[in-house]
């Protein structure tokens, strides 16, 4: 004889119920519990949907996070085979606009954006520094931690601490300006793979060209390079990229 399982609540034991009275008993219980069962099922489905959507959201977030981590690692030159020397960044020693020493160690404990430029730059540096200000405002509006933004001159002959200080007053507040001797600046540029062609000894008043790269170098709170943000990250794309890295860190 076939047992009727189809309308029995889940988990209910029927294996040893053979006599008719028991079957009737079960049917009664079943009739009593029926609506509960349906309600439970409905609740279960809602719960399942909620869990499903949450998991989907979580995995999507996690996937994006892992992609961002992977991107940072590959930017650093870190491969699956191990940890190579980062291609960008490293020790440097410069002075800020208060003539205080500023080194690689000052990058630690904050996210930083490092930019190389020079105050005589006719248009690119002002545009880029405005761009930096826009990013800083977006991040602040979204309650991200303060980013330490650093302007390193590629023109130490002309860009003394005073000159840089006056220059940076035109831009977003809090930008740290750095300079140093010709050798110190040359070394810092080398560490960041920034092309440095500024002549060393130029008679006062004589004009010369200064080359520099148009990248913001995003450094993590350990002072390690994360990503170079070039022109393709203008506007909100750059702010979004920075926030992705902070979220993924
Ligand atoms: Cu410039």
């Amino acid at each position: 004889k076939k047992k009727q399982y189809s309308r029995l609540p889940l988990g209910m034991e029927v294996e040893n119920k053979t006599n008719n009275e028991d079957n009737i008993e079960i049917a009664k219980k079943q009739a009593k519990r029926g609506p509960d069962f349906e309600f439970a099922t409905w609740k279960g489905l809602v719960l399942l949907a909620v869990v499903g959507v949450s998991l989907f959201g979580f995995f999507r977030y996690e996937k994006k996070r892992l992609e961002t981590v992977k991107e940072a690692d590959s930017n650093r030159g870190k491969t699956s085979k191990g940890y190579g020397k980062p291609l960008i960044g490293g020790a440097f020693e410069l002075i800020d606009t208060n003539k205080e020493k500023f080194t690689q160690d000052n990058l630690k404990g904050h996210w930083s954006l490092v930019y190389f430029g020079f105050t005589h730059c006719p248009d690119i540096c002002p545009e880029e520094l405005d761009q930096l200000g826009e990013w800083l405002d977006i991040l602040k509006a979204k309650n991200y931690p303060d980013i330490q933004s650093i302007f390193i001159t590629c023109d130490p002959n002309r860009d003394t601490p005073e000159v840089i200080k006056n220059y940076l007053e035109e831009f977003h507040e809090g930008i740290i300006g750095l300079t140093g001797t010709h050798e110190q600046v040359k070394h810092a540029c080398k560490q960041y793979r920034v092309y440095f062609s500024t002549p060393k000894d130029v008679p006062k008043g004589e004009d010369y060209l200064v080359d520099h790269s148009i990248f913001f170098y995003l450094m993590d709170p350990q002072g390690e390079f994360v990503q170079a943000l070039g022109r393709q990250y203008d506007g909100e794309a750059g702010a979004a990229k920075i926030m992705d890295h902070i979220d993924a860190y």
Side-chain angles (χ1 to χ4, degrees):
K1 195 181 155 192
K2 253 187 163 182
K3 283 174 190 165
Q4 301 255 316
Y5 284 102
S6 58
R7 285 184 52 78
L8 286 176
L10 287 172
M12 203 163 198
E13 286 295 330
V14 290
E15 289 305 318
N16 299 318
K17 305 289 181 192
T18 46
N19 82 39
N20 221 14
E21 259 175 50
D22 281 350
N23 280 344
I24 289 165
E25 203 50 37
I26 289 165
K28 275 184 186 163
K29 271 187 192 164
Q30 165 61 30
K32 237 176 155 184
R33 298 180 74 177
D36 283 346
F37 173 63
E38 276 166 31
F39 183 60
T41 308
W42 180 80
K43 277 206 294 194
L45 284 174
V46 170
L47 185 68
L48 201 68
V50 169
V51 169
V53 168
S54 310
L55 277 177
F56 178 74
F58 173 74
F59 283 121
R60 212 170 55 160
Y61 170 82
E62 197 53 18
K63 186 169 171 254
K64 171 141 198 198
R65 195 183 73 81
L66 289 174
E67 278 169 3
T68 307
V69 168
K70 210 171 151 189
E71 185 183 14
D73 282 345
S74 92
N75 290 339
R76 284 185 180 121
K78 185 177 167 182
T79 62
S80 55
K81 285 177 185 166
Y83 202 59
K85 189 188 183 298
L87 300 171
I88 292 174
F92 63 83
E93 188 178 323
L94 296 165
I95 53 166
D96 66 18
T97 51
N98 298 317
K99 296 176 185 163
E100 302 281 346
K101 196 163 93 170
F102 193 104
T103 72
Q104 155 83 355
D105 287 339
N106 293 84
L107 299 181
K108 291 176 184 165
H110 330 255
W111 284 86
S112 307
L113 281 165
V114 180
Y115 181 77
F116 289 81
F118 62 110
T119 65
H120 282 68
C121 181
D123 44 25
I124 294 171
C125 284
E127 276 174 29
E128 294 302 301
L129 290 172
D130 283 339
Q131 172 63 84
L132 172 65
E134 192 187 330
W135 289 346
L136 295 176
D137 288 339
I138 293 173
L139 281 141
K140 193 174 182 137
K142 300 207 169 184
N143 292 316
Y144 273 77
D146 280 342
I147 299 247
Q148 175 170 258
S149 40
I150 299 163
F151 172 90
I152 301 180
T153 183
C154 297
D155 185 13
N157 307 325
R158 289 183 292 196
D159 286 348
T160 61
E162 294 80 11
V163 169
I164 298 175
K165 191 174 202 164
N166 288 334
Y167 178 73
L168 289 178
E169 275 169 10
E170 304 292 316
F171 301 98
H172 198 283
E173 70 171 324
I175 302 174
I176 296 166
L178 302 181
T179 187
T181 65
H182 186 89
E183 283 311 313
Q184 284 174 325
V185 169
K186 188 178 174 181
H187 178 70
C189 287
K190 198 178 163 200
Q191 293 288 61
Y192 282 77
R193 303 289 184 271
V194 171
Y195 180 67
F196 181 79
S197 62
T198 313
K200 190 169 182 178
D201 298 305
V202 185
K204 247 194 164 25
E206 191 176 302
D207 212 6
Y208 53 92
L209 285 171
V210 177
D211 245 316
H212 68 87
S213 61
I214 315 170
F215 286 109
F216 287 96
Y217 299 96
L218 179 65
M219 312 300 285
D220 72 21
Q222 302 213 57
E224 282 195 45
F225 172 67
V226 175
Q227 177 149 19
L229 299 160
R231 279 271 158 103
Q232 74 271 36
Y233 288 107
D234 272 2
E236 290 189 6
K241 195 51 144 179
I242 295 165
M243 291 187 282
D244 282 350
H245 281 299
I246 294 175
D247 290 343
Y249 185 69

